[in-house]
Amino acid sequence: MPDAGVASVAGVPVAQACADLLDLLAGVSDGRSSQGRDHPAAVVLALVAAATVAGMTGYTAVAGWVADVPQATVTDLYLRAGALPVGRPSRSTLWRVCTDTDAQALDTAIAAWTTARRPGQSPAPQDTDEQAPELPPTDLLRLDGKTVRGAVDADGNQVQLLAALAGTADPATPAVVIGQTEVTGAKTNEPACARDLLKTLNIEGSTVTADALHTVKATAELIHQRGGQFVFPVKENRRALFDALDALPWQHTPIADSRIDIGHGRITRRTIRVLPAPPGLPFPHVNQVWLIERYVTDTTGAHLSAAAQLGVASHTPQQAGPAQIAAINQGHWAVESLHWIRDTCYREDQSRVRTRSGPRVLASMRNLAINALRLAGRRDITEATRWAGRNMTRPFAILGITS
């Protein structure tokens, strides 16, 4: 029996699970009895995944795309899943599988497939005697929640999903989702859900970033216990901590690093000041505290905006200097680009899919599609989706599910 703290697929630890997507999907249940089943869930989910890579955004669109998949490709999928091909799954079958699929198991399978393909990465179990691989100190794990706005149930509740986006501070390195969970209840439950998600991931050697909602002691303790680091912003919702940082002599602290970015008709100057963590700070495992200021002007020099942000970092000065802390902080917002892609390319917020696990399953398929395209070296996801959709077998090749 696998350890309770180890992410697993069909009872097999992720580190031991086969990295073949179809095999991983075979461990995801949709609740149907295997007796008399014409369309294995693994095949249906694989077809939905390929359709999503091709840009399909709803059950009707997916069903139409699946109807045009070459017969040889369909036959191969069914035979590899241990079933005889008996036609194509209909829209109702696609709907039934997606709405009844174990969404958490699906996200775990996607995480296993993605992690196995990350450059220089390999999945490893946690809370065991096995030594986890040490990740580069620049490896970032960004946490952020997203509301699937169109998925409103009868009581008016919307689906809230929390994603973990792994990458580095180097924008040339593909950032991919390696974990996702649903936030149940109020948004204030998000930090607790984030800790549950972190327990399933190998974060040793990684730096965890998040918005100020996640700047809580329990999360910092968990990250420290699991061998990770953190860089967190601090706002007034953590009043004692904010007041302690705000009272520091920032005006007499020299700027340690600055950066100027020019683009989209704006000039943005970012500066950072860093101090050692003061004694008695009401937050654990902090070694440095920082103040980042941002000034934005147009190309004529006219002032547009100014903002300041306080924060804490667990790194020692030897582990991360001011420039690195600033890059880590700015790099967190790569997770926002993930949400933007899901909304603009896949029109997630316009989706009216709302039944049972359907909204989360389709969101997971969008994560998988974006991951696969990025790992294939494509940076412009909108154009990459068009490219994938121009050839019916290309999405299967991108996902590695062609024989």
Side-chain angles (χ1 to χ4, degrees):
M1 182 73 113
D3 190 287
V6 182
S8 63
V9 180
V12 180
V14 164
Q16 303 170 12
C18 177
D20 180 82
L21 182 59
L22 192 62
D23 287 340
L24 289 168
L25 293 177
V28 180
S29 172
D30 67 343
R32 294 181 297 158
S33 169
S34 59
Q35 186 174 8
R37 180 165 54 182
D38 291 331
H39 305 288
V43 172
V44 175
L45 292 172
L47 289 168
V48 174
T52 306
V53 172
M56 302 301 108
T57 59
Y59 298 127
T60 300
V62 170
W65 189 87
V66 167
D68 290 335
V69 174
Q71 184 59 51
T73 301
V74 175
T75 299
D76 178 62
L77 287 175
Y78 277 84
L79 292 177
R80 288 173 59 202
L84 293 175
V86 290
R88 317 294 176 93
S90 65
R91 182 191 184 281
S92 61
T93 299
L94 295 168
W95 176 87
R96 185 170 63 249
V97 171
C98 289
T99 56
D100 289 335
T101 283
D102 182 338
Q104 186 58 59
L106 176 62
D107 276 323
T108 301
I110 291 171
W113 183 87
T114 302
T115 304
R117 282 159 176 75
R118 286 190 66 206
Q121 306 296 319
S122 59
Q126 295 296 291
D127 301 328
T128 70
D129 294 332
E130 182 175 338
Q131 182 68 35
E134 184 175 350
L135 300 178
T138 54
D139 204 61
L140 304 183
L141 189 67
R142 298 108 160 173
L143 299 175
D144 199 39
K146 182 183 187 301
T147 301
V148 185
R149 302 189 184 279
V152 183
D153 64 19
D155 297 324
N157 300 313
Q158 295 174 309
V159 174
Q160 307 268 349
L161 299 174
L162 177 72
L165 186 76
T168 73
D170 182 358
T173 303
V176 291
V177 176
I178 61 167
Q180 180 174 267
T181 190
E182 185 168 353
V183 178
T184 56
K187 184 173 176 61
T188 50
N189 294 336
E190 193 174 299
C193 293
R195 290 191 291 275
D196 290 340
L197 178 59
L198 287 172
K199 290 174 184 176
T200 71
L201 304 174
N202 179 9
I203 63 173
E204 185 169 359
S206 295
T207 296
V208 179
T209 64
D211 61 33
L213 179 65
H214 296 272
T215 307
V216 294
K217 295 178 182 179
T219 302
E221 290 283 7
L222 175 67
I223 294 168
H224 178 76
Q225 291 167 9
R226 297 180 72 84
Q229 304 276 12
F230 59 81
V231 172
F232 288 155
V234 177
K235 293 185 178 180
E236 289 89 339
N237 61 322
R238 307 298 172 202
R239 191 77 241 182
L241 179 58
F242 179 85
D243 288 344
L245 297 185
D246 195 40
L248 294 173
W250 296 112
Q251 289 184 337
H252 304 292
T253 303
I255 292 173
D257 189 72
S258 65
R259 174 176 173 174
I260 296 177
D261 295 317
I262 302 175
H264 305 288
R266 297 179 300 179
I267 301 173
T268 303
R269 179 172 183 259
R270 295 178 176 88
T271 65
I272 183 170
R273 306 169 197 256
V274 179
L275 290 171
L281 194 69
F283 203 80
H285 310 299
V286 177
N287 285 298
Q288 300 182 83
V289 297
W290 46 267
L291 168 66
I292 290 177
E293 295 172 296
R294 186 185 66 183
Y295 304 93
V296 183
T297 65
D298 64 19
T299 53
T300 68
H303 172 78
L304 296 178
S305 67
Q309 185 181 68
L310 294 165
V312 294
S314 62
H315 308 74
T316 65
Q318 293 72 35
Q319 292 171 326
Q324 289 174 292
I325 293 174
I328 290 169
N329 176 268
Q330 187 176 355
H332 171 73
W333 300 109
V335 74
E336 292 296 328
S337 70
L338 168 73
H339 298 165
W340 184 84
I341 291 167
R342 279 169 40 179
D343 283 341
T344 57
C345 182
Y346 296 102
R347 302 198 296 275
E348 183 168 278
D349 278 352
Q350 298 176 37
S351 172
R352 292 298 179 264
V353 172
R354 64 191 69 186
T355 306
R356 296 189 294 277
S357 60
R360 179 175 172 183
V361 165
L362 293 189
S364 299
M365 291 301 186
R366 295 173 195 124
N367 286 339
L368 173 59
I370 295 167
N371 288 352
L373 290 168
R374 284 179 170 173
L375 291 171
R378 310 291 300 206
R379 299 187 65 180
D380 185 334
I381 300 301
T382 300
E383 176 53 36
T385 301
R386 298 190 192 105
W387 167 75
R390 289 195 291 267
N391 184 314
M392 293 299 294
T393 62
R394 193 172 281 160
F396 297 97
I398 292 168
L399 292 168
I401 49 178
T402 52
S403 59

